[in-house]
Amino acid sequence: GISTVIIDITIYTILINLGVNLSFSKAIAFSSGTIYSYFINKKWTFNAIGSFKIFLKFILVYIISLNINILVNKLMIDFFIVKNFKSVSIFFLISTFFSATFNFLFLKKFVFKDKKLT
């Protein structure tokens, strides 16, 4: 999870510094972390069986999670008047917390519920 967040925040920060819209930057960064996350979660976190069906379930969870992430981030940006790098970083962390919690619960119970035989 931490390595996925590092990828997410690095890409997010780069895009913001390039002048890209905050919500679009969040979507691109989150999606990049998603691709990385599938392989890491399948192999190391859940030691699970992979298949096309599992991948589609994973994508469904991450699409919902992406929307949670962007929505929480946008609500915080819209709610708070101060929008400097520090506040945007805090909004990033809070939105990531919400989506990461959702991800873990649904990946464990819905996506990677079938373990590898070891």
Side-chain angles (χ1 to χ4, degrees):
I2 292 171
S3 59
T4 300
V5 172
I6 291 170
I7 289 169
D8 190 348
I9 199 164
T10 301
I11 293 172
Y12 184 61
T13 303
I14 290 168
L15 292 174
I16 288 172
N17 286 323
L18 291 174
V20 178
N21 170 279
L22 290 173
S23 290
F24 187 71
S25 295
K26 192 73 184 100
I28 296 297
F30 185 87
S31 299
S32 300
T34 298
I35 294 165
Y36 170 79
S37 178
Y38 174 75
F39 295 103
I40 295 302
N41 279 310
K42 181 180 68 129
K43 183 170 179 132
W44 286 301
T45 305
F46 298 106
N47 192 29
I49 298 168
S51 68
F52 186 69
K53 182 180 174 183
I54 297 293
F55 182 72
L56 290 178
K57 286 181 174 183
F58 181 89
I59 294 300
L60 175 63
V61 168
Y62 263 80
I63 287 170
I64 295 167
S65 181
L66 171 62
N67 285 292
I68 291 169
N69 195 298
I70 291 172
L71 177 64
V72 171
N73 197 59
K74 178 154 180 39
L75 288 173
M76 297 194 68
I77 288 168
D78 291 347
F79 182 76
F80 290 97
I81 296 169
V82 177
K83 293 177 185 81
N84 56 33
F85 184 75
K86 183 178 178 181
S87 65
V88 170
S89 297
I90 291 168
F91 303 158
F92 173 91
L93 293 173
I94 292 169
S95 62
T96 298
F97 171 78
F98 277 93
S99 63
T101 301
F102 174 86
N103 281 346
F104 180 78
L105 295 173
F106 278 82
L107 291 179
K108 182 176 181 177
K109 298 294 182 186
F110 176 67
V111 177
F112 295 122
K113 61 184 179 185
D114 298 325
K115 301 286 186 182
K116 290 180 185 176
L117 299 174
T118 54

